[in-house]
Amino acid sequence: MRIGELAAEMGLTTKTIRFYEQAGLLPAPPRTPGGYRDYPPQAVARLAFVRDAQAAGLTLAEIRSVLALRDSGQAPCAQVGTLIEEHLAEIDRRMAELRQARTVLRELARRAAVTDPDTCVAGDICTILTRP
């Protein structure tokens, strides 16, 4: 299958497919006598895996490591499980930070609602953001 056909089937651009090759996510395909890339049918499944892994939040480096394990004949299940747990922990950490930021912003919004700009003095930058 030529690169244009593969791109159309996967909803990608040919540039993306070439990038995936350069990034080590997709092996370089054999070439036709005319020099065109000739992708094997399993390229579709591999690109679908890359798309799904990205949707799950895995980085390209993480995806490459999973593919390398599979390409070496090993099942990457344990590694994928570890990556998922790490990403879940990171999401939990970020959610906690966002909850804290929301609490701070709610307090600032409350202060903003009761602040009279006419009472601000020239030396103050912004009394809303300055801790009382």
Side-chain angles (χ1 to χ4, degrees):
M1 163 181 332
R2 296 247 175 107
I3 193 168
E5 295 171 275
L6 181 59
E9 184 169 337
M10 296 304 302
L12 300 170
T13 65
T14 57
K15 185 176 180 178
T16 299
I17 293 173
R18 285 191 294 272
F19 171 78
Y20 286 163
E21 279 182 45
Q22 292 173 337
L25 300 169
L26 187 64
R31 301 277 182 153
T32 66
Y36 294 103
R37 289 172 167 87
D38 188 22
Y39 291 92
Q42 57 268 32
V44 171
R46 192 166 180 116
L47 287 172
F49 172 80
V50 170
R51 179 193 57 220
D52 294 345
Q54 283 184 299
L58 273 62
T59 66
L60 293 182
E62 291 167 336
I63 296 167
R64 187 174 32 257
S65 70
V66 170
L67 290 169
L69 265 181
R70 174 47 75 197
D71 291 345
S72 73
Q74 299 176 36
C77 301
Q79 181 185 11
V80 169
T82 299
L83 290 170
I84 289 169
E85 290 300 322
E86 289 171 358
H87 281 268
L88 282 171
E90 176 63 14
I91 287 170
D92 289 342
R93 184 190 64 73
R94 287 177 27 209
M95 287 176 67
E97 288 174 354
L98 288 170
R99 280 190 295 274
Q100 178 62 33
R102 181 179 57 202
T103 299
V104 169
L105 288 170
R106 282 185 175 153
E107 173 57 23
L108 293 173
R110 185 196 62 73
R111 276 195 236 163
V114 298
T115 298
D116 179 1
D118 293 333
T119 63
C120 293
V121 294
D124 291 333
I125 297 172
C126 179
T127 59
I128 297 168
L129 294 173
T130 304
R131 293 181 187 198

